[in-house]
Amino acid sequence: MVKNSFILVISQEKKEENPGSVEFQVFNFTNKIRRLTSHLELHRKDYLSQRGLRKILGKRQRLLSYLSKTNGIGYKKLINHLKNHF
């Protein structure tokens, strides 16, 4: 449900769905992080999931730094959207 709403927001701005865009990838990583975090609250000793979470966090951080360097306005819009949405 959340994924579909974000696709609509991006498609309204760019008139097309682009799952390869940085914004879309960051949003997907954020959803995965939320799911893994809730999983790890129940299963504290699941070390493989902890490792996966750290990898996804690093990927998202690198994408956000890339986006802030290349498109500052898009970065601010994405951060505001993520703050308001979650």
Side-chain angles (χ1 to χ4, degrees), residues 14 18 20-26 29 57-76 78-79:
K14 296 185 178 182
N18 187 3
S21 70
V22 176
E23 294 90 355
F24 190 83
Q25 290 180 32
V26 168
F29 285 145
L57 285 169
K59 286 181 185 179
R60 186 180 69 167
Q61 185 62 40
R62 286 192 300 272
L63 282 173
L64 285 172
S65 67
Y66 168 78
L67 186 63
S68 69
K69 291 176 187 175
T70 58
N71 186 2
I73 296 170
Y75 173 79
K76 289 180 182 179
L78 178 65
I79 295 298

Side-chain angles (χ1 to χ4, degrees), residues 32-34 36-37 40 48-58:
K32 286 182 183 180
I33 289 167
R34 291 179 59 82
L36 277 173
T37 303
L40 287 172
L48 289 176
S49 293
Q50 289 178 11
R51 180 174 184 257
L53 177 63
R54 279 188 244 117
K55 289 179 87 169
I56 292 172
L57 285 169

Side-chain angles (χ1 to χ4, degrees), residues 3 9 20 25-26 30-31 35 46 51 55 68 70 83:
K3 184 177 178 180
V9 169
Q25 290 180 32
V26 168
T30 303
N31 286 336
R35 279 187 280 142
D46 189 355
R51 180 174 184 257
K55 289 179 87 169
S68 69
T70 58
K83 283 181 183 177

